[in-house]
Amino acid sequence: MSDINSTNPRTLGRGICIITGASKGFGQALAYQVSRSLEPRSVLLLVARSGPLLQEMKEELQSATEEQQLVVHCVAVDLRTKEGVDETVRVARQEAVDEIEHVLLINNAASLGDIAKFETFTNPDEVNSYLSLNVSSPLALTAGILKLCPCRLGLRWSVVNLSSMFALQALPSWVLYCTAKAARNMMFSVLAKEQQHVKVLSYSPGPMDTDMQKEILRLTNVNHNPMPCHESAAKLMKLLLDNNFSSGAHLDFFDV
Amino acid sequence: MEIKGSDITQLVHGAENMSSSQRKDLGRALCIITGASRGFGRTVARELSRLVKPGSVLILTARSEENLRSLEVELAGSEAGKSGLLVQCVPADLAQMAGLQSVVSASRAAFSEHIDHVILVNNAASLGDVSRFTSSFTDMAEVDSYLSLNVTSCLCLTARLLQALPPRSGLCRSVVNITSLCALQPFKSWALYCTGKAAREMMFKVLAAEEPDLRVLSYAPGPLDTEMQSVARSSTADPDLKKTFSDMFSSGQLLTCEASCAKLMKLLLEDSFTSGAHIDVFDL
């Protein structure tokens, strides 16, 4: 009898996948691709502020994955708040049944922040608010999700940090964005070092055709030749399916 | 072409630089030192007081008024103090707007046309709870509070001071970020500290890239014999890291603040570092 695994396409297993910033852009593109790679009776949590956009996605996804019995939850919350993070963890915990083989968290939600000279950042409220969404929130959410279920044999844990080349390279006028991405890169590196059973990946997706990129163009007049989101999402999918990356690695779309 | 007096001073200064490998002093300076009440910051204040010319001003800030006052008295009674060094204490919580404003106001008031060097030493920092691992930080407020002190206050203070003490001909402006190996390498159970230091490292690299006339230095002082180190060796959750600290302490490998500070002073006097660079005490 032939090995069933050699004839089946690779999958992410029967999993619970949480994607933040799922209502548009990269998060949305990734949600569609992830949904196709999850085994039957998997759970997909779409987290974003916009309830209506998430609901639309849920309907599309559920009709596209009818046979798969994919369970889709919309978690319409503001991840800048403790309540938002706690609610996301609560819904995830509810769905994390014993038969789950894979917990996959995609920390994608982020904001650009003001692009302006360093000297202009004189207001601590603005900086604190920015760091709270872009650094504190993914840390608290990741910590909450990692407590979802006890570690056991056969349970795979994957945590993705949506990063940027600007986590590694300073860019004038981009102090908020660079600082937060550098902070996240280190934060997830510490996590990777501490937890041998959790695979952590910092993925830099490259410039994509998103609202964030439109904002970048508007503020800086620089066109970065963005690609369609699904192209970069496909590369992240391959990395997750191959599962060969070193935990804690920082990988860029253009390097892979 | 108009040649200003200050241009000539710079030319002569430059010529002096060429003949000896470093300046003998840091000029008539306005120095702002955060976390000046104890540990490395206190030592920086002392060492800077010895290297600046009469007419210089030290603005010392920290939360502890008592410790700042005792340092102020010590410096006022020192040789530098007796030859015209002004020392001003500004007790302040830099994570609060009012705290930032009071340091900036004091600095602006102390800034005169005679000052030829502004030196900001961003030293104030906290360790964060090293007795726990990354997956325990489920409380956003705790992380927000940590970042507020270690990242935001540093960014906003630096931004405000750069605005309040703007560039002018003949004025050198130096910004020091007291960093750590933790800015470059992850350490188990040190999530907050590593994250804060990595954030600051990038922050100051952006500043250096934006302002080529600013002298920006991220200086890692090494393992120092301070209260922060004492907490590190008693509380660190990761057993290997904890042992490393204990061993360093018991085998006398911790550096004194004075020994490390001397290297920082040398870097400032030589003034040949690449702006934005990370330099570790052990690199020298």
Side-chain angles (χ1 to χ4, degrees):
Chain A
M1 183 175 168
S2 60
D3 180 356
I4 209 164
N5 285 327
S6 66
T7 51
N8 283 353
R10 293 163 317 147
T11 73
L12 294 170
R14 183 181 168 194
I16 175 167
C17 177
I18 303 107
I19 303 175
T20 65
S23 60
K24 48 183 180 143
F26 184 78
Q28 181 182 59
L30 190 64
Y32 286 111
Q33 295 195 21
V34 163
S35 71
R36 292 195 278 273
S37 288
L38 288 167
E39 298 235 348
R41 283 167 294 125
S42 287
V43 179
L44 182 58
L45 255 71
L46 305 174
V47 189
R49 279 169 301 176
S50 165
L53 286 179
L54 290 179
Q55 189 55 36
E56 256 181 63
M57 271 181 77
K58 173 175 169 160
E59 279 154 30
E60 277 181 45
L61 281 166
Q62 288 194 307
S63 69
T65 60
E66 241 179 83
E67 275 182 32
Q68 223 176 309
Q69 303 163 66
L70 178 69
V71 176
V72 181
H73 284 283
C74 299
V75 185
V77 294
D78 186 342
L79 289 169
R80 284 173 298 195
T81 67
K82 174 182 162 60
E83 293 70 32
V85 173
D86 288 350
E87 174 64 9
T88 305
V89 175
R90 190 192 66 77
V91 175
R93 183 172 293 121
Q94 198 173 274
E95 299 298 322
V97 295
D98 284 344
E99 293 76 31
I100 288 292
E101 300 168 331
H102 192 176
V103 179
L104 169 57
L105 171 61
I106 311 280
N107 288 293
N108 166 74
S111 62
L112 189 58
D114 195 7
I115 300 186
K117 287 204 149 268
F118 185 108
E119 234 180 69
T120 63
F121 292 99
T122 54
N123 183 355
D125 291 340
E126 178 188 1
V127 181
N128 280 330
S129 170
Y130 185 80
L131 295 176
S132 190
L133 173 63
N134 290 279
V135 184
S136 307
S137 178
L139 174 50
L141 178 61
T142 302
I145 295 297
L146 287 176
K147 289 177 165 8
L148 229 50
C149 24
C151 235
R152 54 176 159 79
L153 206 58
L155 177 59
R156 197 180 144 188
W157 295 84
S158 306
V159 173
V160 178
N161 163 35
L162 261 298
S163 184
S164 164
M165 64 184 276
F166 302 120
L168 310 176
Q169 193 187 308
L171 188 59
S173 297
W174 286 61
V175 67
L176 288 189
Y177 190 81
C178 287
T179 296
K181 291 304 191 200
R184 290 163 67 119
N185 188 26
M186 175 55 82
M187 191 166 101
F188 286 103
S189 296
V190 174
L191 177 65
K193 212 168 171 172
E194 288 171 357
Q195 302 240 25
Q196 298 309 309
H197 69 281
V198 178
K199 283 207 77 177
V200 182
L201 173 61
S202 285
Y203 176 66
S204 166
M208 302 174 289
D209 62 353
T210 58
D211 282 356
M212 184 180 278
Q213 198 60 227
K214 289 196 186 78
E215 190 64 8
I216 291 169
L217 181 61
R218 189 183 71 80
L219 290 171
T220 67
N221 268 325
V222 178
N223 184 343
H224 293 271
N225 284 322
M227 69 184 109
C229 294
H230 66 77
E231 206 178 305
S232 188
K235 217 161 234 191
L236 175 56
M237 285 308 302
K238 183 171 196 303
L239 286 168
L240 291 172
L241 290 165
D242 287 347
N243 199 22
N244 282 332
F245 59 89
S246 282
S247 190
H250 188 277
L251 299 175
D252 190 285
F253 172 86
F254 295 109
D255 296 333
V256 183
Chain B
M1 176 185 136
E2 190 204 332
I3 298 185
K4 303 189 202 71
S6 52
D7 291 345
I8 298 194
T9 311
Q10 265 194 309
L11 281 169
V12 171
H13 194 61
E16 281 171 354
N17 267 352
M18 274 158 36
S19 57
S20 63
S21 64
Q22 63 184 49
R23 304 181 276 199
K24 305 264 188 316
D25 61 66
L26 293 170
R28 197 169 294 112
L30 168 57
C31 305
I32 302 106
I33 303 137
T34 69
S37 55
R38 50 192 175 124
F40 192 68
R42 195 175 174 104
T43 303
V44 168
R46 285 195 187 108
E47 296 302 315
L48 280 175
S49 76
R50 289 198 260 269
L51 290 174
V52 296
K53 299 227 280 259
S56 291
V57 185
L58 293 197
I59 307 273
L60 310 175
T61 181
R63 279 168 307 174
S64 162
E65 178 157 7
E66 201 184 311
N67 288 345
L68 285 179
R69 296 275 167 227
S70 78
L71 180 58
E72 184 182 14
V73 165
E74 179 195 313
L75 292 175
S78 71
E79 236 184 83
K82 287 185 276 201
S83 356
L85 170 71
L86 288 168
V87 179
Q88 205 183 332
C89 294
V90 185
D93 180 352
L94 296 175
Q96 303 299 321
M97 195 88 81
L100 287 177
Q101 282 167 344
S102 61
V103 175
V104 176
S105 298
S107 304
R108 195 185 280 118
F111 187 51
S112 73
E113 56 183 355
H114 304 294
I115 296 289
D116 56 31
H117 196 178
V118 169
I119 307 175
L120 168 61
V121 183
N122 287 296
N123 165 76
S126 62
L127 195 55
D129 190 348
V130 296
S131 71
R132 293 152 50 204
F133 293 99
T134 306
S135 61
S136 73
F137 289 100
T138 51
D139 179 8
M140 256 177 88
E142 178 182 8
V143 186
D144 284 345
S145 171
Y146 185 83
L147 295 175
S148 176
L149 173 63
N150 290 276
V151 184
T152 301
S153 72
C154 187
L155 169 50
C156 293
L157 179 65
T158 305
R160 284 173 178 233
L161 285 172
L162 291 176
Q163 278 195 7
L165 314 170
R168 66 164 154 76
S169 175
L171 176 70
C172 178
R173 300 185 305 165
S174 304
V175 177
V176 180
N177 164 36
I178 300 302
T179 184
S180 165
L181 182 57
C182 293
L184 309 179
Q185 271 181 41
F187 287 90
K188 294 183 192 175
S189 67
W190 280 46
L192 292 185
Y193 191 77
C194 289
T195 297
K197 290 306 191 199
R200 289 164 66 120
E201 186 89 11
M202 173 57 83
M203 195 164 104
F204 286 105
K205 279 195 146 63
V206 172
L207 178 60
E210 278 182 32
E211 305 288 338
D213 291 339
L214 262 189
R215 302 292 290 136
V216 182
L217 172 63
S218 283
Y219 176 69
L224 303 173
D225 192 3
T226 59
E227 266 174 70
M228 185 182 270
Q229 186 62 227
S230 169
V231 172
R233 68 177 170 270
S234 63
S235 310
T236 293
D238 180 62
D240 295 329
L241 190 55
K242 188 172 202 248
K243 182 167 195 308
T244 302
F245 290 137
S246 299
D247 289 351
M248 276 197 277
F249 175 69
S250 53
S251 63
Q253 284 178 295
L254 292 181
L255 302 175
T256 60
C257 292
E258 288 72 21
S260 182
C261 193
K263 301 233 165 141
L264 172 58
M265 295 301 119
K266 186 170 191 289
L267 285 166
L268 292 175
L269 286 167
E270 277 176 4
D271 195 27
S272 57
F273 57 87
T274 303
S275 191
H278 175 110
I279 302 183
D280 189 283
V281 64
F282 297 121
D283 292 337
L284 304 168

